Amino acid sequence: MLLSATPPPGPRPAQERRLYDEAARHRALTPPAEHPSASITWLGPAAANPALAHRLTGDPAHLAESLRWIEAAVRFPHWGKAHMPDRDLDAGWLLHGLSLAYHWLGEALPPEPRALLRHKLMLQGRRLYEFAVATEGRWWSSSYWQNHNWICHAGLATAGYVLGEQEWTERAKDNLGRVMDLLPEDGSHAEGVVYWRYGVPWLAIHLDLLQDAEGIDWWERGGFLANTFRYRLHQTAPGFATNVDHGDCHDRHSGHSAALYYRLAARYGIAEAQWLGEKVSRELLWQEAASSGVRPGILPEAYLEYLWYDPSIPAREPTATTAYFPDLGLLAARTGWDDDATLVSFKASPGGGHKAWETSAKLRAELGWETLNTGHHHPDSGSFVLVGQGAYLAVDEGYSNRKRAAHHNLLLVDGHGYADEDRYHVYQDIPYERQARQRDVLAEGGWAHATAEIAAMYEPALGVRRLDRTLVFTPSGRLVLLDLAEADSGREWTFLLQTDEPVAEAADGGLVIRAGTARALVRRFAPHEVHVSATVTEVEANPTSSTPELRITRTLHTTRTTTPRTSSAHFLTVIEPGTTPTAQEVLCEEGHGVSFGDETVLLAPVTRRIRGDGVTAEAAAVLVGGEEIHVVAARRVEVAGRVVLDVSEPFTGRTC
C-alpha cells in the first residue's frame, strides 16, 4: 500500500478530504532556514502528505508544497540537533517521510532537487545504518520492545526500499522479525498508551513496506498486532477522548491513531477498530490535536488514513466490559462504554512485562546485550487508575523523569517505595528476582478480581515478606481493595491515594474525592488506628531529549494513611462513585468482607478460607450480585446452607 500508494478499493471521501486538508495545512508557514533547537520529525509527513495529494490529483500546488519542505530538510547538515543527531528519531521520521515523497513524486520533482534529495537520503540512511550496526546490543539498535527501535528501523527500511539499498532493508527486516517474535501475544504494551500510539503504527508501516516490496506477509507473526487493538481499546477512558495513563503519558489525550485503527481493522477484520477509527476521525481528531503533548501528533497521519482505510470493513461499537492481559498483568473493567461509566485499570508485572523480562535476561546472559530499555516504565505494580462520571478519580502521575512508587496509588514501607527507584530507568540493573505479578484473576460477568504480589519490589533490608493487594471491581462500579502486609519486624505501612484535587472529609468519617462535578466516597474499614495526612506532590519531566528546554508538570494531591509500627497490617478500603454511601463491613470469622446491599465481596486471598455472611468457602473470593455468584480459586462454596460448588481443582468463574 505505501510504496504503491494503492489503498483498498472503494470510496473514501472523508479520508481523501483529510489528506488534502493536511497537505495544505502548513502553507502559511515558512520553512526554517536553520535547524531549530526542537525536534524536526514533523518535516517528514509535511513533505509526504502533499506528495501523495499531488500523486492523486496532479495539482501543482501540492507539488510545490512538498518541495518546500523537502528543500528545507535537505539543507540541514544533520537531522536532529540536541540529542543524537542523525542517529535517532529525527532521522527515522525524515527518512520515512522524505523517501515516500521522493518515490511518490517521481519525475515530477525537478531534476536538481530530486538529485539533492536522493543524495541526502543516501547520506542519512548510511549514517543511521552504521549507527545501528555499531551499537548492536545496546540502545535502540536492539531495544526490541521500544518505540525508538521501531521508528528508526522503519525509516531505514523505507529509504532502503526506495533507494535500492538491500543492506539496509535486510538489517531492518531481521530486526522486525525479532520484534514480532518477542512482543507479547496478548497485544499489551509496557510503555503505555501514549507510546503505543506513537510507536506501534511504525510496526504496521514496516510490515506494509515488507509486503509491498518483497511480498512477505508477517502480519500474523507472533500475535501481537492481531491482539493489540484490544489492549488499546480497554485503556480508553469512558467517552473515548482520553486514556488510562499507565506508563509515561505526556497527557491524557494523546492516545488515538485513526490510521492504525483502520489498518488493524482491515487486516484482522476488527469491527470495533473500524468504528473507533471513524469516531476519532469524525469527532475527536481536532480535540486530540489541540490537547496532545506528543509531536508531530495525530494530524500528519492523513496519508496513512487514506491508504489504510478499507470501506468494506463493517463498524461496530465495543461491548465487552472486562479484559485481562497476562503478559503485562493488566486488568481493566468498566460498567459500560457511555461517557459517565466507571472504569478501573490495575496492573502488576516485571519491568516490561513477563516476556520482555525473561527474554532480555536471556539475551544479557548469552550475548551480553542490553535489550530492555525501560525509560518509559514506572514503579507502579499494584497501582490502579479509577475513572467515573466523566472525570479521573484516582489518578496516575503521567510522565516523570525521576520515577517513584510514591507518585502512584501504592503502599510505602517506612516511607520507602520500590528499591532502586527515583531515577529514569527504574528497572535497569535490578536483580532478576525483583518481579511483581498478578494472580487469581477473574474478568467475567461485570466482575473483576486480581491479587498483585509486590513484596519483592521493596528493598530487602525492609524485610517485607508479603505485600499483596487484592482489587475487586463490582458490576455497578464499586471498588474494594484489600492490602495484606507482613514484615520481619515492625514497620509503618502507608496507603497512598492520588487525586487531581484535594480530598474532603465525609460525614461518616471517610473521604470524598472531588474531580470537577464528579464525586466518590472513600471508606476505610481497617486498620482503625492510623494517621491520615494530605500533601501536594509535584511531578516534572522533560518528555523529549530532542527539545531539552521542554518541561511538563503535574500536581498530585496525595492522601497518606499510615499505621503505627507493626510487623503485620491489613487495609480494607472501599471507593464508591457518587455521594450515597452503601458499603458496610461484613464481620467474618475467617476472611474479610464488604456488602453494598445488592453486591457482596468476600475475600481470603492467602488462607483461602471464608466464613461469614452465610457463606462457608474454600476460596480466594466469593462475589455475590443478585442471584449470581462468582468465585476465585474455589474448591467448595456453601451459601445459606446450599452447596454451590464442590470440585477437586480450584475453579474461577460463575457458579450459579
Side-chain angles (χ1 to χ4, degrees), residues 127-144:
R127 287 170 172 173
L128 193 64
Y129 170 79
E130 289 177 351
F131 179 77
V133 172
T135 59
E136 187 172 46
R138 59 189 190 277
W139 192 199
W140 63 256
S141 181
S142 306
S143 294
Y144 304 119

Side-chain angles (χ1 to χ4, degrees), residues 173-192:
K173 181 169 67 174
D174 179 69
N175 177 82
L176 178 63
R178 289 174 181 250
V179 168
M180 301 310 295
D181 290 341
L182 296 179
L183 286 174
E185 186 177 355
D186 65 12
S188 61
H189 183 42
E191 290 191 313

Side-chain angles (χ1 to χ4, degrees), residues 300-357:
E301 292 184 351
Y303 70 99
L304 293 172
E305 293 171 30
Y306 176 86
L307 293 173
W308 283 352
Y309 177 70
D310 185 344
S312 72
I313 303 299
R316 183 176 63 245
E317 292 188 51
T319 56
T321 57
T322 57
Y324 179 60
F325 304 90
D327 190 84
L328 193 56
L330 177 66
L331 177 66
R334 66 186 69 224
T335 57
W337 290 95
D338 56 286
D339 292 1
D340 292 330
T342 303
L343 158 76
V344 72
S345 185
F346 177 49
K347 68 187 290 274
S349 68
H354 289 277
K355 191 169 185 179
W357 190 259

Side-chain angles (χ1 to χ4, degrees), residues 144-166:
Y144 304 119
W145 301 274
Q146 219 257 7
N147 70 87
H148 290 249
N149 174 282
W150 309 340
I151 294 170
C152 292
H153 280 103
L156 187 64
T158 312
Y161 286 126
V162 167
L163 301 175
E165 290 293 318
Q166 187 175 1

